[in-house]
């Protein structure tokens, strides 16, 4: 038995997203079936739809910032019941027994996690062998990969927490960002605006590092104490050797050295944006001030729940622009131009109508 669902998919790197019908598996004993209410548009959806990383298989249904209501559960499901408000992020499966999975770091599964979209479906139950994401009416997911959404959060504005939220929260926690530290968030987009909110909530002195002077006032409303314009050589030089930590969300390869120079001795810059080659990475700024350059991938399931609960306690959600499903291609073009405040979210009711 399978469930037919409507969605939007793309069929090649150069074609637009168009309506597409496919089948989801009926819930197995440990599965939760979810009616999708909202899905955020992550820049990774666009990189993948357009095959910019070279690994996309078609048809391709994007979407890994999913909020919905449980509509059915398998008979072994213990954490969720019909009607619960839940979320699904970037992962829907992993091996469950390697050291990363045992540590609750399923995103680093030694045997390869299954992405919510474009992954190899190891569970099956449908004619296709790919996973299809959240630009769709329904999704069926093992309960281990389902998250609980705090009641006080607006469901639409909570959707991007499932990727943009955890991708910024996780490195801030892992590198122990704390009160009294000077933290720079590079790039004010979907990830960056959440990085500013989280670093501010953790008590850090937050600097928004941006290529867009017009975003300065917004950055301060989001919680930044200062704005640093990365194209202004004088401002950049004046900020050398002053940061404890930098979170870099730039979505393309770029020269790393100008940002490394901003770090103090022993400071760390974490790359989350550029899933591609970085240019100009000199050993000099690393060696002479013992600085570190690191990377980080989304977050595991326990930490994603921790982040959602943190958002519930601190009343943190995302700043969104809601769109109808049919406007998704236009939203992609605007995101690529950095013209979104600060995350598009698709109202999935517009797909049903
Ligand atoms: P986004 O909304 O497009 O934001 C990216 C921001 O980076 C832009 O708003 C812009 O901010 C800045 N920017 C864009 N092009 C730039 C350039 N050429 N040089 C310098 N700055 C530039 O994207 P997003 O959804 O936040 O995603 C950011 C990246 O993270 C994407 O590549 C995405 O695939 C990746 N990602 C990684 C993970 C992970 O687990 N590591 C998870 C999710 C997404 P300003 O206007 O302020 O400069
Ligand atoms: Zn994402």
């Amino acid at each position: 038995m399978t469930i037919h669902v409507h969605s939007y998919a793309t069929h090649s790197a150069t074609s637009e997203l168009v309506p597409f019908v496919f089948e989801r598996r009926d819930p197995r004993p440990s599965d939760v079936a979810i009616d999708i209410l909202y899905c955020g548009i992550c820049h990774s959806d666009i990189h993948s739809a357009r095959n910019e990383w070279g690994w996309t298989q078609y048809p391709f249904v994007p979407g890994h910032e999913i909020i919905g209501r449980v509509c059915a559960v398998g008979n072994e499901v213990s954490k969720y019941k019909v009607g619960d408000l839940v979320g699904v992020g970037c992962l829907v499966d992993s091996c469950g027994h390697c050291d990363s999975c045992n540590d609750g770091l399923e995103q680093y599964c030694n045997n390869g996690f299954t992405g919510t979209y474009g992954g190899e479906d190891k569970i099956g139950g449908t004619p296709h062998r790919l996973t299809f994401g959240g630009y769709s009416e329904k999704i069926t997911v093992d309960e281990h990969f389902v998250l609980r959404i705090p009641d006080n959060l607006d469901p639409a504005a909570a959707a991007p927490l499932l990727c943009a939220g955890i991708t910024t929260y996780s490195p801030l926690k892992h590198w122990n960002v704390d009160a009294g530290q000077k933290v720079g968030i590079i790039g004010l987009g979907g990830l960056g605006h959440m990085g500013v909110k989280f670093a501010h909530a953790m008590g850090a002195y937050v600097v928004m590092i941006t290529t867009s002077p017009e975003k300065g006032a917004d950055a301060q409303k989001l919680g930044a104490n200062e704005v640093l314009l990365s194209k202004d050589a004088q401002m950049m030089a004046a900020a050398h050797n002053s940061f404890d930590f930098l979170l870099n969300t730039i979505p393309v390869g770029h020269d790393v050295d100008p940002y490394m120079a901003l770090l103090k001795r022993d400071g760390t810059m974490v790359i989350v944006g550029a899933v591609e080659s970085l240019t100009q990475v000199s050993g000099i700024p690393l060696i002479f001030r013992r600085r570190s350059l690191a990377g980080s991938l989304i977050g595991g399931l326990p930490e994603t729940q921790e982040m959602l609960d943190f958002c519930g306690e601190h009343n943190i959600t995302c700043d969104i622009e809601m769109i109808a499903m049919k406007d998704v291609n236009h939203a992609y073009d605007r995101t690529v131009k950095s013209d979104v405040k600060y995350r598009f979210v698709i109202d999935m009711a517009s797909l049903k109508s």
Side-chain angles (χ1 to χ4, degrees), residues 42 44 64 163:
C42 177
S44 301
H64 59 203
C163 175

Side-chain angles (χ1 to χ4, degrees), residues 223-339:
N225 300 86
E226 262 182 53
V227 176
L228 171 55
L229 302 179
S230 52
K231 289 179 176 163
D232 183 325
Q234 266 187 330
M235 277 184 96
M236 289 290 275
H240 279 181
N241 306 317
S242 70
F243 285 84
D244 296 284
F245 183 81
L246 293 170
L247 182 62
N248 182 334
T249 77
I250 298 174
V252 290
H254 57 277
D255 285 356
V256 166
D257 290 356
Y259 298 104
M260 291 306 288
L262 300 175
L263 290 171
K264 282 181 188 164
R265 189 201 75 226
D266 291 329
T268 299
M269 177 160 80
V270 175
I271 303 285
V272 291
V275 187
E276 52 190 86
S277 295
L278 296 162
T279 50
Q280 205 173 321
V281 188
S282 164
I284 294 170
L286 303 176
I287 292 167
F288 278 83
R289 287 186 190 265
R290 202 163 57 185
R291 298 170 173 119
S292 302
L293 179 61
S296 182
L297 179 67
I298 41 178
L301 273 297
E303 193 175 45
T304 306
Q305 190 62 61
E306 177 191 308
M307 177 273 308
L308 289 164
D309 296 343
F310 180 90
C311 289
E313 276 161 41
H314 295 262
N315 232 335
I316 294 176
T317 52
C318 310
D319 290 28
I320 63 164
E321 292 189 45
M322 188 99 84
I323 60 158
M325 187 76 249
K326 66 177 175 44
D327 298 324
V328 64
N329 294 300
H330 181 53
Y332 272 28
D333 292 338
R334 281 189 52 200
T335 302
V336 171
K337 289 186 214 141
S338 303
D339 172 26

Side-chain angles (χ1 to χ4, degrees), residues 189-248:
L191 267 54
H193 95 288
M194 292 315 299
V196 170
K197 289 189 188 199
F198 285 137
H200 173 73
M202 291 170 190
Y205 184 87
V206 184
V207 180
M208 183 70 240
I209 303 174
T210 178
T211 61
S212 309
E214 70 281 3
K215 292 183 186 170
D218 278 0
Q220 281 170 330
K221 276 188 226 147
L222 295 167
N225 300 86
E226 262 182 53
V227 176
L228 171 55
L229 302 179
S230 52
K231 289 179 176 163
D232 183 325
Q234 266 187 330
M235 277 184 96
M236 289 290 275
H240 279 181
N241 306 317
S242 70
F243 285 84
D244 296 284
F245 183 81
L246 293 170
L247 182 62
N248 182 334

